[in-house]
Amino acid sequence: KASMAQAVVTALGASLVGPDEERCMRVSSPPRWCGSSWTAMFVLHDGILLGSGWGGASAAKAFAGSLVVAAACDSDTLYALTSDSSAIHTLRAVRIGSGQECPTALETVHTSAAIAAMAAAGDTCLVVTDTGELHVLGDIARWAGPSAIPAEPWPVKVVTVACGAAHALIVDIAGQIFSVGHGSQGQLGHNTLECLTSPARIEALEGLAVTAVACGGLHSLAIAGGEVYSWGSNKHGQLGRPPLRAGEEADAGDPNDMRVGPAVPGLVSFPDGDDVEVIAIAAGASHSAAASRAGRCYTWGWGKYGQLGGGEADSPIPRCLPGQSIIGVFAGPGAWSTVTVTTDGQR
C-alpha cells in the first residue's frame, strides 16, 4: 500500500469527487497529477494510479497491477506510461468514463532512464526522461502539421514540458523556453497569432532561466526568478492582468489585444504588499493558479465553477486563498478545477 501520511490533496471547483469520497485525501508527497474537466488522476511514488471524479476510479482500476510511471489526460482520454522492464515503457490509453478494463497499448518508449515529465494534448504525448531526452508519441498532425516536433528524440536536453489544447511549451537544461503548435490566441508567445510547425525559442524570455511552465486551454504560464509570466488568451482574466472593459472590442488580428493576448510574455501582477516568490504554477481551461514559497495559493481567471476557491466570479487579478503550507498546485488545459497539495495536517 502507498504511504498516506505525508500530504493532503484538496480539490476546488468542478466536482472531482464522487458521493462516497471526501474532497481531501492523503497521498504520498508530492504526487504527480493530471486531470480533465471533471476528472483527477494521481500517480503515487510506488506506481499506483488513483482516480477521482467522473470516470476516474474506473480509469484507475484499468491500470491495477501495472507500475505507472507517468500519466496525462486529454478531455476524455487517460494516457498512462507503464514500466514493463528497466528499459521499456509502454504508453497505454483508456477512455475516461467508459469503464473499459483493458487499456489500449499505443506506443513504446525504449529507455533505461527514469521518466521525469509527461504531458498530453489530443492524440499526442510528450515524454521527458531524467537524462533530457524528449520523446513524442501519438498523432502530432492535429497541432500544426506533420512536422510539429521531430519524431526522434530532440537534440536539445529537455527538463520539462507542458501541453495546452493544441500547443506545447518545452524547457531545456539551460532554462530556455520553446513553443510549438496553434497560436491563434497568442499562446506561443512570439508576438504573432500564427501557428508554428517546429519548436521556436521565445525571445521575450531570453536571458531568463525558466524553471516551470504550464499550459491552459489557450494561454501559457512560466516561472523565471520566482516571478510568473503569462501570455495568450485573456478572455476571463487568466493572464493575471485586467481584460477588456465593458464596451471595448477585441481586435482578433492584433497580437497585443488583451482579449486575444498579449502574444508576448508579461509579468503577472500580484496583490500590492505581497512579497511573492512563486515555486509552482498551474493553468486550467481559462484560469490560473500559483503556489508561493511562503506556502500561499493564488488563483485568477475564470471562476464559474468555484475553481478559484472563493465564489464563482471571475478575477483578473490574483487573489490569495486562506491558509498556508501549500507545496503544490495543479490544473490542466481542459480543467474546470484546481487541486492543491499541502503538508500533512494543514489545509
Side-chain angles (χ1 to χ4, degrees):
K1 292 184 178 180
S3 171
M4 306 295 275
Q6 298 182 24
V8 176
V9 175
T10 303
L12 305 169
S15 179
L16 296 179
V17 292
D20 298 323
E21 298 173 282
E22 297 181 359
R23 290 186 65 83
C24 298
M25 63 181 179
R26 298 178 187 277
V27 299
S28 58
S29 176
R32 294 190 183 187
W33 180 90
C34 68
S36 57
S37 300
W38 302 94
T39 308
M41 309 299 301
F42 304 90
V43 180
L44 306 188
H45 279 242
D46 51 11
I48 294 177
L49 184 66
L50 299 180
S52 184
W54 178 75
S58 62
K61 185 183 295 185
F63 290 94
S66 298
L67 180 62
V68 178
V69 295
C73 284
D74 189 16
S75 59
D76 61 357
T77 305
L78 168 66
Y79 299 93
L81 199 65
T82 59
S83 181
D84 303 309
S85 71
S86 61
I88 299 176
H89 299 82
T90 301
L91 180 69
R92 295 180 169 91
V94 62
R95 292 291 178 183
I96 298 172
S98 68
Q100 181 181 348
E101 295 299 330
C102 297
T104 302
L106 299 180
E107 296 194 37
T108 301
V109 180
H110 295 272
T111 177
S112 58
I115 304 302
M118 177 175 167
D123 298 325
T124 305
C125 287
L126 306 184
V127 177
V128 179
T129 70
D130 63 357
T131 56
E133 296 176 345
L134 174 63
H135 297 267
V136 181
L137 308 174
D139 179 14
I140 60 177
R142 76 180 287 270
W143 285 6
S147 60
I149 300 179
E152 297 300 321
W154 208 25
V156 176
K157 281 193 173 183
V158 175
V159 294
T160 192
V161 294
C163 287
H167 77 288
L169 299 177
I170 303 165
V171 180
D172 71 8
I173 195 169
Q176 297 183 106
I177 179 173
F178 301 78
S179 63
V180 64
H182 280 284
S184 60
Q185 300 294 309
Q187 62 266 47
L188 299 185
H190 298 289
N191 198 30
T192 178
L193 305 181
E194 300 296 324
C195 299
L196 287 178
T197 58
S198 59
R201 188 173 70 249
I202 299 178
E203 295 182 359
L205 295 176
E206 190 170 355
L208 299 176
V210 173
T211 55
V213 288
C215 291
L218 296 169
H219 73 290
S220 303
L221 303 175
I223 299 176
E227 296 183 302
V228 180
Y229 293 82
S230 65
W231 60 99
S233 173
N234 200 34
K235 183 177 181 179
H236 295 279
Q238 60 263 49
L239 298 188
R241 288 169 271 171
L244 293 175
R245 291 180 295 227
E248 293 181 320
E249 295 184 2
D251 181 357
D254 181 3
N256 290 311
D257 189 303
M258 289 299 291
R259 185 59 63 94
V260 295
V264 175
L267 281 171
V268 171
S269 301
F270 287 91
D272 292 341
D274 282 16
D275 184 14
V276 181
E277 180 185 356
V278 174
I279 59 171
I281 49 176
S286 296
H287 77 285
S288 304
S292 73
R293 188 168 298 281
R296 297 183 176 90
C297 180
Y298 295 84
T299 59
W300 61 97
W302 189 38
K304 181 177 180 180
Y305 294 97
Q307 58 265 53
L308 302 186
E312 298 181 352
D314 292 358
S315 177
I317 302 299
R319 56 190 183 191
C320 184
L321 298 182
Q324 297 187 15
S325 301
I326 303 293
I327 59 174
V329 61
F330 307 99
W336 301 346
S337 55
T338 305
V339 174
T340 62
V341 180
T342 66
T343 53
D344 193 14
Q346 302 290 328
R347 297 186 182 184

